[in-house]
């Protein structure tokens, strides 16, 4: 979940990069020296085993699932970017390599570090696959932004200019020789693991710390395969919108690989209401593309799915303590009271009413707020904040 346009941060980063380049030029240090020694990405990725084994799993620095034995599940670590201590951030990879060829579908989670239901959804799906009866390959990566996950927070902590927090889902497709560890991790993972092994992809997320959401997708329905995949889930809502540049699903799409972002309920804890919806939908995707046998289960056609361009945010106008009067997925009408906000004395400072008739798609879970935060998202088309669309992702 992210509420603000990332442009400021991106411009700042681009500005820093241009400053660095200028500085290198002025001091006569070649830019090649300033960059890492990461070798160029080869045109065709083969599997490279580093020779290391961690917790019984072999380590790869690039992967081609064609190289893996068919009809089996493979558990590997992919070696990502280095830490400040010289060790590596490894990510966990499961490949269910079917007995017969077919579509290659990639599932990812953990691009944000506080989104546990996305990880659990992918784990559950993988546990239900029997590679011996599959036609095609399903690859899953559970923990792409591991340093963020280690501290149960959305953003990746790095040491570029002292302690920094970076939203990895604004960095894709990354750059193996880029400015900072997060861009490099994205580049390594995308170039050497995800992109070469995917015909279709799904990048699982949830709401975020401080803001609960219901179950929905974000994706561009003008791309036929994206629409097909999203409609195979029995979700409450679909936001038909590509969302921000730099998110993983847009990097896939730029590489010709249809992808979208499911949002599996609330952050931090396991959302046991939402997870089964996304497990069922993902198994439907596999069945639709002939990767596994079986009848399609419930889909969006069974859930009276709401489809819109974006949700209407209701922003707090005051700082203070919030008492919500509605619940997730409640239907509300224009003018219905949504929340009361009090100051530290308990005096009522603001009352918030619904600007539209619609359904509650997201709501603040923290009981306090500064002014300007999203208090409630209402599933109803039309409103933006100062011309800027916002999406819970
Ligand atoms: Zn997310």
């Amino acid at each position: 979940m992210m509420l603000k346009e990332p442009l400021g941060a991106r411009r700042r980063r681009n500005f820093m990069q241009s400053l660095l380049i200028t500085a290198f030029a002025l001091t006569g240090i070649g830019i090649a020296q300033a960059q890492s020694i990461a070798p160029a990405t080869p045109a065709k990725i083969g599997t490279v085993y580093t020779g290391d084994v961690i917790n019984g799993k072999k380590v790869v620095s690039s992967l081609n699932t064609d190289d893996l034995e068919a009809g089996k599940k493979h558990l590997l670590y992919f070696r990502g970017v280095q830490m400040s201590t010289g060790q590596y951030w490894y990510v966990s990879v499961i490949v269910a390599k079917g007995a017969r060829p077919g579509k290659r579908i990639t599932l990812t989670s953990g691009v944000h570090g506080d989104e546990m239901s996305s990880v659990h959804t992918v784990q559950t799906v993988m546990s239900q696959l029997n590679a011996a009866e599959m036609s095609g390959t399903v690859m899953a990566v559970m923990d792409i932004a591991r340093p963020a996950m280690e501290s149960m927070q959305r953003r990746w902590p790095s040491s570029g200019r002292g302690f920094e927090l970076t939203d990895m889902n604004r960095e894709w497709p990354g750059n193996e020789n880029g400015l900072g560890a997060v861009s490099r991790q994205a580049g390594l993972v995308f170039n050497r693991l995800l992109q070469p092994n995917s015909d279709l992809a799904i990048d699982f997320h949830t709401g975020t710390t401080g803001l609960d959401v219901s179950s929905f997708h974000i994706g561009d329905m003008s791309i036929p395969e994206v629409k097909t995949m999203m409609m195979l889930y029995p979700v409450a809502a679909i936001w038909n919108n590509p969302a921000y540049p730099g998110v993983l699903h847009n990097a896939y799409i730029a590489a010709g690989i249809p992808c979208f972002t499911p949002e599996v309920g609330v952050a931090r804890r396991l959302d046991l209401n939402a997870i089964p919806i996304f497990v069922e939908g993902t198994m439907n995707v596999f069945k639709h593309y002939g990767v596994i046998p079986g009848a399609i289960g419930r889909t969006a056609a069974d859930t009276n799915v709401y489809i819109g361009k974006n949700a209407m945010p209701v922003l707090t106008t005051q700082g203070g303590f919030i008492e919500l009067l509605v619940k997730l997925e409640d239907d509300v009408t224009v003018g219905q009271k949504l929340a009361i906000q009090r100051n530290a004395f308990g005096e009522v400072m603001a009352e918030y009413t619904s600007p539209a008739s619609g359904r509650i798609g997201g709501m603040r879970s923290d009981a306090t707020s500064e002014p300007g935060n999203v208090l409630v998202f209402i599933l109803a088309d039309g409103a933006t904040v100062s011309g800027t669309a916002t999406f819970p992702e």
Side-chain angles (χ1 to χ4, degrees):
M1 170 73 203
M2 176 68 188
L3 304 175
K4 293 196 168 55
E5 264 289 328
L7 271 180
R10 293 184 76 77
R11 283 185 184 135
R12 199 158 56 244
R13 207 158 37 244
N14 291 342
F15 177 64
M16 286 302 295
Q17 190 134 27
S18 64
L19 274 187
L20 279 175
I21 290 166
T22 307
F24 291 135
L26 288 175
T27 54
I29 300 172
I31 199 76
Q33 281 172 268
Q35 291 174 342
S36 85
I37 52 167
T41 313
K44 177 157 174 30
I45 288 282
T47 301
V48 177
Y49 291 93
T50 67
D52 297 322
V53 176
I54 301 174
N55 299 330
K57 276 83 174 174
K58 289 180 180 170
V59 177
V60 295
S61 58
S62 66
L63 181 66
N64 183 338
T65 55
D66 289 348
D67 298 335
L68 300 177
E69 187 182 341
K72 283 183 64 176
K73 272 184 193 162
H74 304 266
L75 277 56
L76 302 163
Y77 278 118
F78 176 83
R79 192 179 74 183
V81 74
Q82 278 185 294
M83 310 176 194
S84 304
T85 52
Q87 300 189 51
Y88 290 89
W89 289 113
Y90 298 98
V91 300
S92 312
V93 183
I94 304 173
V95 180
K97 174 83 180 282
R100 292 166 298 279
K103 285 278 188 197
R104 301 170 307 157
I105 303 178
T106 295
L107 316 177
T108 47
S109 61
V111 170
H112 290 139
D114 58 350
E115 303 186 356
M116 297 302 111
S117 291
S118 61
V119 179
H120 195 80
T121 299
V122 173
Q123 290 170 339
T124 306
V125 165
M126 296 310 288
S127 74
Q128 293 184 8
L129 292 178
N130 177 1
E133 64 175 22
M134 285 170 53
S135 302
T137 299
V138 178
M139 180 173 75
V141 189
M142 275 62 69
D143 44 10
I144 289 176
R146 261 201 52 224
M149 293 179 78
E150 299 292 355
S151 45
M152 186 63 89
Q153 64 181 358
R154 175 185 179 84
R155 296 178 179 85
W156 177 306
S158 60
S159 66
R161 295 183 290 279
F163 184 79
E164 291 186 89
L165 290 168
T166 304
D167 186 339
M168 193 180 192
N169 216 20
R170 301 292 182 274
E171 295 287 334
W172 301 98
N175 180 347
E176 293 186 15
N177 295 306
L179 182 63
V182 191
S183 174
R184 291 182 180 218
Q185 173 82 347
L188 289 167
V189 169
F190 194 74
N191 296 338
R192 295 164 190 269
L193 184 65
L194 304 182
Q195 189 271 336
N197 294 302
S198 308
D199 298 320
L200 301 163
I202 307 171
D203 181 36
F204 291 86
H205 284 251
T206 76
T208 195
T209 299
L211 195 90
D212 288 347
V213 300
S214 64
S215 57
F216 62 92
H217 297 315
I218 301 174
D220 184 351
M221 295 181 87
S222 71
I223 301 167
E225 301 282 25
V226 170
K227 179 179 180 182
T228 297
M229 287 194 285
M230 290 201 295
M231 292 296 288
L232 284 165
Y233 287 73
V235 288
I238 295 175
W239 292 355
N240 175 19
N241 198 307
Y244 309 110
V247 303
L248 178 51
H249 71 232
N250 286 327
Y252 271 119
I253 287 166
I257 301 162
C259 184
F260 66 101
T261 298
E263 300 282 347
V264 190
V266 305
R268 299 186 78 85
R269 61 188 186 273
L270 297 188
D271 189 329
L272 299 177
N273 293 321
I275 290 166
I277 292 169
F278 291 90
V279 170
E280 184 169 4
T282 308
M283 300 306 278
N284 286 343
V285 170
F286 298 159
K287 291 168 185 171
H288 176 82
Y289 288 102
V291 175
I292 61 172
I296 301 276
R298 295 175 304 154
T299 70
D302 301 308
T303 52
N304 189 28
V305 63
Y306 169 86
I307 299 174
K309 278 285 178 196
N310 57 274
M312 291 182 74
V314 177
L315 303 189
T316 48
T317 58
Q318 305 277 321
F321 301 81
I322 293 161
E323 183 185 352
L324 287 161
L325 306 174
V326 289
K327 298 191 300 296
L328 271 183
E329 301 192 7
D330 277 358
D331 288 323
V332 295
T333 55
V334 180
Q336 182 174 336
K337 199 183 289 187
L338 301 174
I340 297 167
Q341 193 174 27
R342 299 181 175 87
N343 64 15
F345 297 96
E347 297 167 310
V348 174
M349 303 305 291
E351 292 188 342
Y352 299 93
T353 57
S354 182
S357 294
R359 184 167 296 172
I360 303 294
M363 51 195 275
R364 192 164 176 82
S365 59
D366 282 354
T368 59
S369 179
E370 301 146 335
N373 289 330
V374 172
L375 180 65
V376 168
F377 272 116
I378 296 168
L379 298 179
D381 247 339
T384 59
V385 179
S386 307
T388 303
T390 60
F391 310 95
E393 44 75 60

